[in-house]
Structure formats: C-alpha cells, structure tokens
Amino acid sequence: MIAYNGQHTVHRKGGQIYWRAEHGQIEGINNGYAHFTSQGLMGEDQKTRFSIRFGVKGTQLYHINQSQLRVNTDQFLVMNHETEYSVTSEHSEDATMLAFCFNENFVKDFVAYHKQTQAGLLDAFALYDLSKPLPEFPLHTLPVTEELRRRIEHMIGNKMSTQPSEVDDYDLFSGMLETVFMSANASLNVFKDQEIVKRSTKVELYKRLSIARDYIQAHFSEDVNLNELSRVACLSPYHFHRAFKHTFGITPKKFVTGLRIEKAKWLLLNRSYSVQSICNDVGFKDVSSFTRLFTSYTGQTPSVFRNESRQVVSSLV
C-alpha cells in the first residue's frame, strides 16, 4: 500500500514515482515527495531518480548493489540517479518513510552553482552546462540533524496546508538540498582534532567509516569482528578502531553490542521466543554473557525486563 498525505496522488510508472496534479497532467520530471506507509514492504526492484530517503517510523532495509543499508528515524540516505534498489521493512512491521525526489537538471544546476567561484557565476554557459553527468553521492547513511528535521517538518507543512499553486517548490526543494549537503558537511567536523589537512582525505575517511558502520547495522547479529570490519573500511585494524571511536564516540564492539541489546529488547516485548533463542538470534554465543550484558545495559535481566514491561503494557490497556 502506498499512501500520500498531500495535494497530489502518487502513481507508479516504470519503477518511478510520478505526480498527477489536480488537472491530470503527469509531472514525473518535476521535484516531488512521497509519504510511504507499508505493512511489510515487498522488496520490489526499482530504479530511482536522485532522491533523499528518511525513516519516519520503523526501520527500512535498502538492498543496493549487494549491500544492505538500515535507515531508521534518526538517519537519511541519499540515492543517486538511476540507482537500482529494493526496500523492505524490518521485522515485517509497519514502516513509514519519506522520499524526496529531484529532477536531474535541478540537481545539476544546484551542484554547478555551489562549485563555481563568484566570478564563474557570471558565466551562464558554465553555470548551466547540464550535459555533464550528476556527481555521485557516497552511498552510506547520515544522521538527521535538528536543522534538517525542522526543514522536513516545514516542507511537509507547506505542502499539506497550502494550495499547490501557492507553494514555492523551487525554494522548498533547493532549501532541502542545501540543508542535506550542510548536514553531510557537518558530519566531517568530527575530524577537526585529527591531523588531516586535505578535505578530500577527510571525506574519504568518513565515507569508509560510514560504510563499515552501515555494514555493522546490517550484520550485527552475525559474527562480526575487528579484522572483518577493518577490511570493509579498507583500513588497518588499529586505524579503523581509533578513527571509528573518535568519529562516532563509541568503539566498534560496543556499537555491535548496543544494536544486539536493542534487537533483544524488541524480541522480548514482541515475540514469545525463549531467552536462549533470542540470545542466538541477536548474535550472542551463550546465555550467560547475553544476560550479563543485557543487565548492564538495562538494569534488568532479560526475563525480568520481559515480565515487567508486559505488566506495564497490560496496565495501560
């Protein structure tokens, strides 16, 4: 099921998102956004325009080029033009996402503008040379900043509460692109204390660390280890561990453990599996270490957490 809360109706045509305005004209070449709600997305193979994907509720799993990226409510994913992908919802639960899709020439113009010097902006031919291909945005998730969250809320509010003819789409979508690129650049500020001079080096290191982080999020229930993660990031184990901790404020091992504990909490509340089964499902090798770590993170054993949480839920029903 696809639901759209706005002034237009969403249609699918050849794997693309198209917009049909009230006068009936197909507007597939224009910028637009879609609000998807699905009870267990089916993983249909699709091809996208340049788009920005946000998780609103639940977690979406994007399958792209044999990689799997988890996008939750605190992250967003920039997908390049004509990226082939499929998406499913984690646990087959209800998942909601926002997809902002951009016209190819709109993005080219935006990028060309920000790459030009002030003198170059006066050269119309340089500015509007749209024959060049779109730049490739690194394929990894990025955190949603407060500024970006406010921009999304403002954008949705304008689209939903105002007649289409009264909305300045160009201003809204250019503002969204500016905020997204600023958010991506802000993520690089974590390197300010590291002895890295070239910005291109900062970008490359953050890209590699983000790829490893996304790999952890997709495979945390498996036997991931430091050597494997450092190979994914194309860094030495020492360099990877040091850079990961400095960048994300947590060691790779603790990051894995935290994801496993959160998954275990969800299973304890929503499934009737035994503690032993949950221990195995989330990637722990034995119940004793699972119980010890779970207790250190939550202050309760798995069994106590399940019983007390269910009692609280029952009292509210």
Side-chain angles (χ1 to χ4, degrees):
M1 177 183 71
I2 297 176
Y4 174 60
N5 297 330
Q7 301 292 342
H8 304 285
T9 303
V10 174
H11 294 262
R12 284 200 177 280
K13 184 177 181 181
Q16 288 279 14
I17 296 174
Y18 281 72
W19 309 90
R20 188 183 296 276
E22 292 177 343
H23 52 70
Q25 179 181 350
I26 291 289
E27 299 179 340
I29 63 170
N30 293 335
N31 299 322
Y33 84 96
H35 186 200
F36 296 88
T37 302
S38 176
Q39 181 72 28
L41 295 170
M42 297 303 294
E44 174 189 2
D45 290 332
Q46 303 175 58
K47 184 179 288 187
T48 183
R49 289 190 284 161
F50 185 93
S51 61
I52 306 169
R53 311 298 179 100
F54 297 90
V56 177
K57 176 185 176 184
T59 300
Q60 294 84 46
L61 303 177
Y62 282 83
H63 308 273
I64 306 171
N65 296 331
Q66 299 182 335
S67 297
Q68 181 173 284
L69 301 175
R70 299 172 78 249
V71 180
N72 56 37
T73 55
D74 295 318
Q75 296 172 310
F76 70 94
L77 176 66
V78 178
M79 298 182 68
N80 295 304
H81 183 63
E82 294 191 341
T83 296
E84 295 184 357
Y85 74 102
S86 63
V87 58
T88 56
S89 58
E90 193 171 55
H91 310 306
S92 297
E93 296 287 323
D94 185 30
T96 306
M97 74 183 81
L98 276 174
F100 294 89
C101 302
F102 294 84
N103 173 269
E104 182 178 3
N105 287 343
F106 181 94
V107 181
K108 286 182 179 180
D109 188 13
F110 175 88
V111 173
Y113 173 88
H114 286 278
K115 281 188 173 182
Q116 290 291 328
T117 62
Q118 289 299 314
L121 291 176
L122 300 177
D123 184 351
F125 291 99
L127 180 58
Y128 294 103
D129 181 8
L130 303 179
S131 61
K132 297 180 180 179
L134 276 174
E136 290 286 312
F137 202 93
L139 185 61
H140 56 69
T141 59
L142 289 163
V144 175
T145 63
E146 286 302 314
E147 172 60 23
L148 185 52
R149 199 179 301 277
R150 286 193 294 270
R151 172 70 67 173
I152 295 170
E153 293 171 354
H154 171 72
M155 196 171 193
I156 296 174
N158 273 275
K159 276 286 191 180
M160 291 184 179
S161 62
T162 311
Q163 292 299 316
S165 60
E166 298 174 0
V167 176
D168 187 343
D169 281 339
Y170 195 94
D171 182 62
L172 287 175
F173 280 86
S174 60
M176 171 59 72
L177 271 185
E178 289 172 2
T179 307
V180 164
F181 276 75
M182 286 175 59
S183 178
N185 288 335
S187 299
L188 301 176
N189 290 338
V190 295
F191 296 104
K192 61 181 180 295
D193 296 327
Q194 297 194 29
E195 296 178 358
I196 301 176
V197 178
K198 292 185 178 180
R199 178 177 174 79
S200 59
T201 305
K202 298 178 185 179
V203 172
E204 179 62 24
L205 180 55
Y206 187 80
K207 174 184 174 182
R208 295 187 187 189
L209 293 173
S210 295
I211 289 172
R213 180 195 57 189
D214 290 337
Y215 181 87
I216 293 173
Q217 290 180 320
H219 300 278
F220 65 84
S221 61
E222 302 171 16
D223 186 21
V224 292
N225 56 65
L226 185 62
N227 287 333
E228 179 182 359
L229 295 175
S230 63
R231 284 195 296 270
V232 170
C234 297
L235 299 170
S236 71
Y238 175 81
H239 188 188
F240 169 73
H241 186 277
R242 186 174 185 275
F244 191 97
K245 181 180 179 180
H246 183 92
T247 303
F248 300 122
I250 189 172
T251 65
K253 184 176 181 179
K254 287 186 177 180
F255 186 60
V256 171
T257 300
L259 291 172
R260 289 175 174 176
I261 296 298
E262 289 302 312
K263 177 69 175 292
K265 288 165 64 177
W266 188 92
L267 290 172
L268 286 165
L269 291 176
N270 295 279
R271 297 290 185 267
S272 58
Y273 304 155
S274 67
V275 172
Q276 175 71 64
S277 177
I278 292 175
C279 166
N280 296 334
D281 286 347
V282 301
F284 289 104
K285 293 183 178 180
D286 60 83
V287 175
S288 60
S289 62
F290 167 58
T291 301
R292 175 173 52 80
L293 285 168
F294 190 94
T295 303
S296 68
Y297 272 73
T298 66
Q300 297 174 311
T301 65
S303 297
V304 171
F305 175 84
R306 167 181 273 168
N307 293 334
E308 292 194 359
S309 297
R310 287 182 173 177
Q311 288 175 8
V312 171
V313 172
S314 298
S315 66
L316 297 175
V317 177

